[in-house]
Amino acid sequence: MPDRSPLFSRALGGAAASAAVLLATAACSPVVSVENADVPQWRATALPSDSQAVLEDSGKILNRNRIVQEAASVPAGDYTLTITCDGGGKAFFAVTLAGKELTEAGAACNGSRETAKITVPKTGRMEISASSVDAPLLYAYHLVPAG
C-alpha cells in the first residue's frame, strides 16, 4: 500500500499557505476611518434618535476642539443624558444651564452606551459640549425627560 503522508502533507501545506494569504489580504484591507465614516448610518445603530429628546447631536470629533450644541429653553425637571462614542479613547460631555455647569459625563469610545441623570433646577438655555483628547472619534448623545 503506498504511503499517502507526502500527499497529505502537501495538501495541508497548500491550505496553510492559502490561509496565510487570506489573513495577509485581510490585514491590508482598508478600514473605514472616522474621517470617512457615515455619521447618520453609524448613529442609526449606535444611538437612534429619540422623539422626546430636548437636545441631541452626533458627529465627528476630529481635533481637540469642543463641539457645542444648545437649546434655547429647556424646562426644569429630571432628564437622562445617554451618550456613546466610537473610535477608541474617551469622550467627555459637559452640560451647562445658563452658563453654570450641571454635570460632566464621559464615555469609553468602544460603542457602549453610558447614561447620566441630570436635574435641571429651572428653565433656561442649555449647552452640551462634546470633546476628546483622543480624536478622531464619532460621538452621539441625546437628553430626554426621565420617566
Side-chain angles (χ1 to χ4, degrees):
M1 186 136 226
D3 185 10
R4 293 187 182 178
S5 296
L7 181 59
F8 186 68
S9 294
R10 274 188 285 206
L12 280 179
S18 295
V21 168
L22 285 174
L23 285 174
T25 303
C28 294
S29 296
V31 175
V32 175
S33 68
V34 169
E35 291 88 350
N36 298 323
D38 181 335
V39 174
Q41 182 181 9
W42 170 79
R43 181 181 179 145
T45 57
L47 185 66
S49 292
D50 187 314
S51 63
Q52 295 182 328
V54 295
L55 192 54
E56 63 183 341
D57 194 22
S58 61
K60 301 173 186 178
I61 297 175
L62 299 175
N63 53 41
R64 292 181 176 197
N65 296 336
R66 293 179 329 129
I67 298 172
V68 180
Q69 185 74 309
E70 73 175 57
S73 183
V74 173
D78 293 325
Y79 293 86
T80 301
L81 176 66
T82 305
I83 56 181
T84 190
C85 58
D86 225 337
K90 193 166 185 173
F92 299 96
F93 301 85
V95 182
T96 61
L97 181 70
K100 294 184 179 166
E101 185 173 308
L102 290 179
T103 192
E104 187 173 287
C109 295
N110 58 12
S112 64
R113 293 182 190 171
E114 303 290 335
T115 59
K117 302 295 183 193
I118 299 172
T119 298
V120 176
K122 62 181 182 177
T123 299
R125 183 180 56 81
M126 179 178 282
E127 290 184 356
I128 298 179
S129 67
S131 63
S132 179
V133 296
D134 300 312
L137 56 86
L138 301 171
Y139 74 93
Y141 65 81
H142 60 233
L143 181 71
V144 298

